[in-house]
Amino acid sequence: MQLKSADDLSRMRDAGRVVRAVLDEVAAAAVAGVSTAELDRLAEARTIERGAVPAFKGYLGYPASICISVNEEVVHGIPSERRVLRDGDVVGLDFGAILGGFHGDAAETVLVGRGSPEAARLVETTRAALGAGVEAARAGGRLGDIGAAVQRTAEAAGYSVVREFVGHGIGRKLHEPPQVPNFGAPGTGAWLRPGLVLAIEPMVNAGLPGVRTLEDGWTAVTEDGRLSAHFEHTVAITEEGPEILTRAGI
Ligand code: MF3
Ligand code: CO
């Protein structure tokens, strides 16, 4: 596992700030009648304006700048002119950028309009699961503490966590060791140390945990067709506790 220097962390704060700003703009633009392709163009334009580069475009052949996963789509939804958002949609927005040689990566899920009470509860639970995972990202703790905190939060609400996709270390590369599962047992796995930067990204399903990938080779959907939500932060482990590099208001 690659530990970051103070200078690395300062660059990662800059990358995280770009990711936050772009994600906020895209979230505000995710209204009924807008296509997900329009949101992709917005994300790319705002990123380049800030002197950064979209991290996902071309990564392992991914064709767009942002992943937009609607309703039963879990992650890696590909933006399309044909996918027009409708009132009540549950829209996962996952975005990464590169600035100064370092990556930032974050996701959030928004409702188009007010959304149903069930959808709102799923979204708020997934946000809380990320919060619990971040709180567990402390020096002296273990990787399994993070997964356990996420899993406990999701399952206490009657939901399930996806097993096939995990969080990751992040830095000069989008995906660095270690993998960060959204499940596990406290007190197990690698030790967490200052300088470790992790992308923690719970995917929470309203129903069963199973997912499958569509014929486009990317879009992951719930096997049971029920809703899914996704939140992600890039988090640095410091002596003073977790520092969220992609938080609001930075
Ligand atoms: N946040 C996701 C991840 O860390 C997004 C990657 S999508 C890809 O895996 F297109 F870049 F692959
Ligand atoms: Co990620």
Side-chain angles (χ1 to χ4, degrees):
M1 293 188 284
Q2 171 82 47
L3 300 181
K4 273 73 185 177
S5 69
D7 184 60
D8 294 343
L9 281 182
S10 132
R11 293 187 203 212
M12 291 198 76
R13 280 185 199 102
D14 293 341
R17 196 175 293 115
V18 171
V19 169
R20 178 80 265 148
V22 172
L23 212 40
D24 283 352
E25 278 209 57
V26 173
V31 298
V34 169
S35 76
T36 57
E38 288 174 73
L39 298 179
D40 182 59
R41 287 192 288 273
L42 177 67
E44 182 162 336
R46 291 293 181 266
T47 304
I48 288 163
E49 277 169 23
R50 288 181 165 80
V53 174
F56 300 168
K57 199 165 193 172
Y59 184 82
L60 302 175
Y62 185 73
S65 292
I66 188 169
C67 300
I68 305 183
S69 308
V70 183
N71 296 334
E72 79 286 357
E73 295 172 357
V74 177
V75 285
H76 302 165
I78 301 173
S80 161
E81 306 290 351
R82 295 185 314 276
R83 187 69 192 243
V84 176
L85 296 181
R86 299 166 53 181
D87 195 52
D89 280 345
V90 177
V91 184
L93 304 166
D94 184 357
F95 179 70
I98 312 168
L99 184 67
F102 284 88
H103 289 72
D105 188 7
E108 60 182 66
T109 299
V110 297
L111 299 172
V112 178
R114 292 170 57 107
S116 69
E118 307 92 84
R121 192 174 79 92
L122 174 66
V123 167
E124 288 320 307
T125 300
T126 309
R127 190 197 308 278
L130 172 58
V134 169
E135 275 309 303
R138 291 179 181 278
R142 310 280 287 269
L143 209 46
D145 300 349
I146 298 174
V150 169
Q151 183 176 20
R152 191 181 327 112
T153 307
E155 291 181 354
Y159 300 138
S160 54
V161 293
V162 171
R163 311 300 205 265
E164 284 87 346
F165 301 100
V166 295
H168 48 95
I170 179 168
R172 289 193 178 275
K173 292 194 281 185
L174 175 62
H175 295 141
E176 298 183 353
Q179 293 196 11
V180 183
N182 295 300
F183 54 92
T188 64
W191 292 94
L192 304 177
R193 298 172 57 187
L196 188 59
V197 182
L198 302 175
I200 303 174
E201 50 178 318
M203 288 140 272
V204 176
N205 290 355
L208 298 171
V211 301
R212 66 186 173 88
T213 303
L214 298 185
E215 305 71 47
D216 64 17
W218 281 100
T219 312
V221 299
T222 57
E223 251 165 356
D224 64 8
R226 294 185 64 188
L227 296 176
S228 187
H230 180 209
F231 280 81
E232 177 175 20
H233 272 311
T234 298
V235 182
I237 295 169
T238 77
E239 303 279 5
E240 286 79 41
E243 179 183 349
I244 302 174
L245 305 182
T246 48
R247 69 191 181 283
I250 51 172

